[in-house]
Amino acid sequence: MSQQRKALWEADYDEDLQDVDLNLAIGTYGQNGLYDDAQSRLDEATLLAMQQQVAQQTAFAQIPDVVKRFIAHFHQAVLENNLAEITVAYESGWNRLTEKFYAKVEWPEAEVIAPLVNDDQIFLILYRELYYRHVYSRLTPDIDDRFHSYENSCELFNYLLNSDGPVSLQLPEQWLWDIIDEFIYQFQSFCVWRSKVKSKTEEELSLLAEGSQVWSSYSVLNVLYSLIQKSKINEHLVALQEGKSSEEIAEIVGEYGTRPLYKLLGYFSIIGLLRVHSLLGDFTLALKVMENVELNQKSPFTRVTACHVTTYYYVGFCYIMLRRYPDAIRAFVSILNFILRMRQYHTRSYQYDQINKTADRMYALFAICNALSPTRVDDNISNIVKERYGEQFTKMSRGEEGIPAFEELFLYACPKFITANPPPYDDADLLQAYIDEPPVEPAQRHLQLFLAEVRAQAPVPTLRSFLKLYTSLDARKLAGFLDADEEDMVQQLMVLKQASRAVSRVDNEKGLLDGQTISTSDLDFVINQNMVHIAESTVGRRYAGWFIRNAEHAQRVLDTLRNAPLPVPPKAAAPPADVSKTTDTQPAPARTGGQKVAWGSTKAA
């Protein structure tokens, strides 16, 4: 019934609030002789408090009535733990009102709307989480916003982790993921902003010197690990893999792990740690924390599309930095095919643009992997890569000439790396030395490490092109082709041999770091005295996958045709004798398969 009735905030804008007595909630400041001459002089603190109250009253009066109704309705849904109403308000109502009233300005501050929610501190914390997320995504946060968003995050996680027993709060999966995702994004944004010393004002320098622990790496990692520990999510995942019953799992994870709120926050914190460790440059530890998470379509992270895409992006990027290109290619192909299949269902999602941007970056990373470890992959992915990055891909296949193309795609597609330690704002001398000789940017540092590997493999494309022409070749002749002496030629052959080997998860090993050394090339060779013997294995086209995909497509078309209504047959021509007679026909009934959602539109069934 909640989705069929008209939402409170969709009523006529001119209609007065029915459930909230604004005068009672705000008070009647300025009346009852408050400013009589006989009154004693107010001290400065009281006067300041009164001014703030008057300012809040003025700001409250400027809030549109539809927004007031929305906030009151949102608060009531949170109080009742009504997930259906919370989901509608969170995913649709908030974004719809943002576009209409707050596209370029801030939402009302929490203190202003507090009377509407009876000063409910828990709801105000959740409201501030949405408020600061809006500031970060639509506006430019100042230092106060950055500090206050950190304080609000601390309040939220302290409430969840340090309350007496599990809290009764329930939130949708999407919101829980967004809380973790936004927490890490604000940490990343603060670290990037903090590292730019030259642009800071004197006030900002002073605040940064005093607040050295604000958005520290330790505090962020502590929150994520605490959520994982409190929920016992790793023990839960291991128990599921061992096939234990729900009663046994409940006994293992305890009272916190059985609550969906804590279980999902713990699970999403594992994905958050993957991201944080990747941003800090520890790619091995990033994959290590994912040890108990299975990368398949049945994993819990697939229920939230943004989490699904984020997981595969960072897993694939970690594999690239660990030189495990086959595993990276497998990860990118899996998620990019998923995005291609599901794109039509996400066009109306408020995260559609972000998912598309991440997908575009993964196409660039896929092009890098395929250039360093050529392999036969899905035709759909290959065609899109050639369409978007065909020029760069061609350059990357030319050895040393392709270094600028590798650099361009890497800087475009890599995460925004951060430095764990802040500049020395608390020491003026050290800060001046930091400004005079700034350290290497994290992105440039990782780029140089990556390009070192690329330069080592620079001779490989040319050498492969020569070896493909022969089954056996004299070493001196090959050295002449390469314009190098025999010793350099042997070194290049060893580089090719090394580039043709990689660690990969061939038998679906449990951990993402597990794997076996495999050959990634269709070209192999041995050196016997002065002769190089070449063996090339050609892999035939895999027709099974092509037939399966097209059979599934044909089945979907057939199902669509079966579910479509039959066409109305044309009316037979009336006989001439009955021309004067008319027949009343009833129009076809409108489809009523949709459900009415809270804000008045219709959602497809």
Side-chain angles (χ1 to χ4, degrees), residues 374-391:
T375 183
R376 184 183 297 276
V377 293
D378 187 87
D379 292 338
N380 293 332
I381 306 298
S382 298
N383 293 336
I384 295 175
V385 169
K386 290 177 182 177
E387 178 183 344
R388 298 185 183 183
Y389 304 108
E391 182 180 352

Side-chain angles (χ1 to χ4, degrees), residues 54-104:
V54 172
Q56 290 178 6
Q57 182 180 6
T58 304
F60 186 90
Q62 296 175 351
I63 301 176
D65 287 348
V66 64
V67 176
K68 295 175 183 176
R69 284 189 287 270
F70 166 75
I71 293 174
H73 179 85
F74 200 179
H75 173 237
Q76 189 63 29
V78 172
L79 283 180
E80 297 172 356
N81 283 331
N82 189 334
L83 283 179
E85 288 291 340
I86 296 173
T87 301
V88 171
Y90 174 74
E91 295 188 359
S92 179
W94 177 273
N95 296 306
R96 189 166 171 270
L97 292 174
T98 296
E99 293 294 337
K100 188 165 189 176
F101 298 106
Y102 304 106
K104 297 182 180 180

Side-chain angles (χ1 to χ4, degrees), residues 378-581:
D378 187 87
D379 292 338
N380 293 332
I381 306 298
S382 298
N383 293 336
I384 295 175
V385 169
K386 290 177 182 177
E387 178 183 344
R388 298 185 183 183
Y389 304 108
E391 182 180 352
Q392 292 92 332
F393 186 78
T394 302
K395 292 179 181 178
M396 288 189 294
S397 304
R398 296 176 182 171
E400 196 71 29
E401 298 179 14
I403 299 296
F406 278 107
E407 180 176 351
E408 176 189 352
L409 291 186
F410 183 88
L411 290 177
Y412 166 70
C414 72
K416 291 184 178 179
F417 296 106
I418 57 178
T419 303
N421 298 320
Y425 285 106
D426 54 349
D427 191 318
D429 295 334
L430 291 178
L431 185 62
Q432 186 59 44
Y434 183 95
I435 295 174
D436 295 337
E437 296 182 8
V440 180
E441 292 289 332
Q444 290 296 325
R445 186 165 59 248
H446 290 291
L447 173 64
Q448 295 308 317
L449 291 173
F450 172 73
L451 291 182
E453 169 69 12
V454 174
R455 289 191 177 94
Q457 296 191 27
V460 169
T462 304
L463 187 57
R464 281 174 55 89
S465 64
F466 284 124
L467 294 181
K468 280 181 172 288
L469 300 176
Y470 297 89
T471 56
S472 60
L473 182 63
D474 184 80
R476 293 182 181 178
K477 187 175 182 180
L478 179 58
F481 288 154
L482 299 174
D483 293 329
D485 55 30
E486 292 190 25
E487 184 176 351
D488 291 339
M489 182 268 298
V490 172
Q491 291 180 357
Q492 293 185 26
L493 286 173
M494 293 300 100
V495 170
L496 175 59
K497 179 72 76 172
Q498 178 64 26
S500 302
R501 301 286 186 272
V503 177
S504 179
R505 301 173 69 229
V506 293
D507 293 328
N508 294 323
E509 286 85 352
K510 177 183 176 183
L512 297 183
L513 288 173
D514 298 335
Q516 304 175 20
T517 301
I518 63 169
S519 175
T520 61
S521 175
D522 57 355
L523 187 72
D524 202 1
F525 64 90
V526 294
I527 302 176
N528 184 12
Q529 296 181 353
N530 293 329
M531 294 295 294
V532 180
H533 300 281
I534 302 102
E536 183 178 5
S537 59
T538 52
V539 180
R541 184 173 180 178
R542 299 176 182 177
Y543 294 100
W546 186 89
F547 278 111
I548 290 174
R549 286 194 304 273
N550 283 275
E552 291 176 345
H553 177 70
Q555 184 64 44
R556 287 193 296 269
V557 173
L558 180 59
D559 292 341
T560 303
L561 292 175
R562 285 176 173 172
N563 295 331
L566 293 175
V568 179
K571 295 181 180 180
D578 297 330
V579 171
S580 60
K581 297 181 180 180

